Amino acid sequence: MARTKEFKEDQVLDKAIEIFWHKGYNGTSAQDLVMHLGLSRSSLYDTFGDKQKLFAQSLRRYQKNAQDQIIELFDKSENIKETLHDIFKQAVVESLDDRITKGCFMVNSSIELAMHDEEIAKIVKSNSQKMEEVFTNAVQKGQDLDQISKSNEAKVLARFIFNNYSGIRVLARTGERDKQVYDDIIKALFSVL
Amino acid sequence: MARTKEFKEDQVLDKAIEIFWHKGYNGTSAQDLVMHLGLSRSSLYDTFGDKQKLFAQSLRRYQKNAQDQIIELFDKSENIKETLHDIFKQAVVESLDDRITKGCFMVNSSIELAMHDEEIAKIVKSNSQKMEEVFTNAVQKGQDLDQISKSNEAKVLARFIFNNYSGIRVLARTGERDKQVYDDIIKALFSVL
DNA sequence: CAAATTCAGGAACGATTGTTCCGTATTTTA
DNA sequence: TAAAATACGGAACAATCGTTCCTGAATTTG
């Protein structure tokens, strides 16, 4: 009856994530999308509706990937503190590796759009809540196992950790290339845990 | 000979800061500027050149104001730790007060433009350097006076503090309205100092 | 008064924006 | 083979973008 789809929606979304991440929402034009996604204007609009919907879908996919990755790390972790350290080390590697500094797609989107777009605001809020939950559970587990200091409540530490994570992502976006700056922040952070 | 200027450039810049801060660079149109600044298209372009120049000038003015304010606080401070606490408390008040959540103009601009605009990147970088310097000196002074823990070097703590400051400004921009979240972060932060 | 300068207002610029639509080729399955 | 669905390229849309320019009124100082 019908011709099958020639492209995988998820693969296109991954490319959309790339360009939106790099250039932001307002900085990415429809023409940019057509060129970078490798499909025609018509297919693009037929498949994803419009630019805003494509962006929201990209951000949701990014969110899911990032969350799943962190959740998995904590799940199979035997030492929460070490796992946390790995997560931050990874963020630093990405910040320094990235020839085109992209920071964090979620943080970037928060700042550019959360205030002016309800749907994006919802995604950002749900991300914050989920991350707070995941980090709180992890820290709690770490405290139960005497791997993390009990000087502060799990939720307090979770919010604190997440805040430093955001900060580091901003730093990356500004183009900071001095590894020592990141290491200093992490060193001080872990002196609380 | 000539008619005198009817508007003060600085006052116009303050209004430009407001709208750029709120809507970002790409989100602010020339029409927005004409309406919000209260002067005509022609005067605008005659005085400031173009949109990009006006933005850069606004950001520089914002930077100077923010820096001077913090420098003055540290200069007349008798207890650095308390002053630091005041600075963070103030950031929280602004985050919660602001009916239209604006976050930090410098952080917002970093994320939106630093990567794509050299001049903005320069401003952001000079701001980071100056802030690191100011915070390092303050922390050093606090350590000398036994007001701040010596468990970490002054520069390490300075970078750490600034990182949390950035994080909090991102949080504000996402529209977080729960004071407890901010207080938790600050509580954990100050357990290091 | 006269020259000089500054303003507002608005028309107009070409370029780019996001989006729609059409014609046609391609591929699938009944 | 016929029908259905998909994808493509490109033309075209109105709207908005940043910017330039012109006119005329207002105000200042020589």
Side-chain angles (χ1 to χ4, degrees):
Chain A
M1 319 235 285
R3 180 175 173 178
T4 54
K5 291 226 172 199
E6 286 189 6
F7 56 86
K8 305 279 169 53
E9 278 203 21
D10 282 352
Q11 290 178 1
V12 175
L13 279 182
D14 283 339
K15 291 193 176 177
I17 289 173
E18 273 186 15
I19 190 165
F20 279 135
W21 190 349
H22 177 48
K23 303 183 118 190
Y25 178 79
N26 285 312
T28 304
S29 69
Q31 190 57 33
D32 288 334
L33 290 169
V34 168
M35 294 186 310
H36 195 265
L37 267 51
L39 48 79
S40 68
R41 252 180 174 62
S42 25
S43 303
L44 204 168
Y45 277 87
D46 282 351
T47 311
F48 298 102
D50 59 20
K51 185 181 161 185
Q52 197 276 345
K53 282 178 191 145
L54 174 59
F55 185 90
Q57 220 170 317
S58 303
L59 187 58
R60 268 189 291 263
R61 179 170 168 80
Y62 173 85
Q63 176 191 15
K64 185 168 180 359
N65 289 347
Q67 276 178 8
D68 288 352
Q69 195 183 332
I70 286 185
I71 291 174
E72 194 196 338
L73 282 176
F74 281 133
D75 272 351
K76 68 180 184 192
S77 165
E78 297 192 351
N79 187 319
I80 296 294
K81 197 171 188 173
E82 275 178 20
T83 302
L84 272 173
H85 209 252
D86 290 341
I87 290 173
F88 274 89
K89 271 193 290 185
Q90 180 58 28
V92 173
V93 168
E94 282 173 23
S95 301
L96 297 175
D97 259 20
D98 240 346
R99 288 219 146 269
I100 43 169
T101 46
K102 293 183 297 193
C104 169
F105 189 27
M106 188 64 65
V107 170
N108 298 354
S109 304
S110 308
I111 288 187
E112 186 184 5
L113 300 174
M115 226 171 60
H116 304 101
D117 185 314
E118 269 196 46
E119 193 175 3
I120 303 300
K122 270 190 197 169
I123 298 175
V124 169
K125 177 141 275 183
S126 85
N127 182 252
S128 302
Q129 287 172 346
K130 185 68 180 174
M131 291 300 265
E132 180 177 310
E133 178 195 320
V134 170
F135 274 91
T136 301
N137 289 340
V139 169
Q140 185 65 61
K141 182 175 156 192
Q143 287 179 328
D144 291 345
L145 297 173
D146 278 323
Q147 296 163 349
I148 290 181
S149 156
K150 289 166 186 148
S151 54
N152 285 289
E153 281 177 50
K155 185 180 278 190
V156 171
L157 287 183
R159 286 169 172 170
F160 182 52
I161 293 166
F162 188 59
N163 193 59
N164 276 277
Y165 194 76
S166 297
I168 280 185
R169 294 316 205 127
V170 172
L171 199 57
R173 182 75 169 178
T174 66
E176 179 61 65
R177 279 287 188 288
D178 183 354
K179 185 167 184 297
Q180 191 60 49
V181 176
Y182 297 92
D183 287 344
D184 282 351
I185 292 166
I186 294 174
K187 179 186 170 194
L189 169 63
F190 275 81
S191 71
V192 194
L193 308 185
Chain B
M1 322 238 292
R3 180 175 174 180
T4 53
K5 290 225 171 200
E6 286 188 6
F7 55 86
K8 306 274 169 58
E9 278 203 21
D10 283 350
Q11 290 178 2
V12 175
L13 279 181
D14 284 338
K15 291 193 177 177
I17 289 173
E18 274 185 16
I19 190 164
F20 279 135
W21 190 350
H22 177 50
K23 305 182 117 192
Y25 179 79
N26 286 313
T28 304
S29 68
Q31 190 56 33
D32 287 335
L33 290 169
V34 168
M35 294 189 309
H36 196 265
L37 267 51
L39 47 80
S40 67
R41 250 179 175 65
S42 27
S43 304
L44 204 168
Y45 278 86
D46 282 351
T47 311
F48 298 101
D50 59 19
K51 185 181 162 186
Q52 198 275 346
K53 283 178 190 144
L54 174 59
F55 185 90
Q57 221 170 315
S58 303
L59 188 58
R60 269 190 290 264
R61 180 170 167 80
Y62 173 86
Q63 176 191 14
K64 185 167 177 4
N65 288 347
Q67 275 178 7
D68 289 352
Q69 195 182 331
I70 287 185
I71 290 172
E72 193 196 339
L73 283 176
F74 281 134
D75 272 351
K76 68 179 186 194
S77 164
E78 298 190 353
N79 187 318
I80 297 293
K81 196 169 188 172
E82 274 178 20
T83 303
L84 272 173
H85 209 252
D86 289 342
I87 289 173
F88 275 90
K89 270 193 292 185
Q90 181 59 28
V92 173
V93 167
E94 281 173 24
S95 301
L96 296 175
D97 259 20
D98 239 346
R99 289 220 145 268
I100 43 170
T101 45
K102 293 184 295 194
C104 169
F105 188 27
M106 188 64 64
V107 170
N108 298 353
S109 303
S110 309
I111 287 185
E112 186 184 3
L113 300 174
M115 227 170 62
H116 308 288
D117 185 313
E118 268 195 47
E119 193 174 2
I120 303 301
K122 270 190 197 170
I123 298 174
V124 169
K125 176 141 277 183
S126 84
N127 182 253
S128 302
Q129 287 172 346
K130 185 69 180 171
M131 292 300 264
E132 181 178 308
E133 177 194 320
V134 170
F135 274 91
T136 301
N137 290 339
V139 169
Q140 186 65 61
K141 183 176 158 190
Q143 287 179 328
D144 292 343
L145 297 172
D146 278 321
Q147 295 164 350
I148 290 181
S149 157
K150 290 165 186 148
S151 54
N152 286 289
E153 282 178 49
K155 185 180 276 188
V156 171
L157 286 183
R159 287 169 171 170
F160 181 52
I161 293 166
F162 187 59
N163 193 59
N164 276 277
Y165 194 75
S166 296
I168 280 185
R169 295 314 205 128
V170 173
L171 199 58
R173 182 75 170 179
T174 67
E176 179 60 65
R177 280 286 187 290
D178 183 353
K179 186 168 183 298
Q180 191 60 48
V181 177
Y182 297 93
D183 287 344
D184 283 352
I185 292 166
I186 294 174
K187 181 187 169 195
L189 169 63
F190 275 81
S191 71
V192 194
L193 309 185

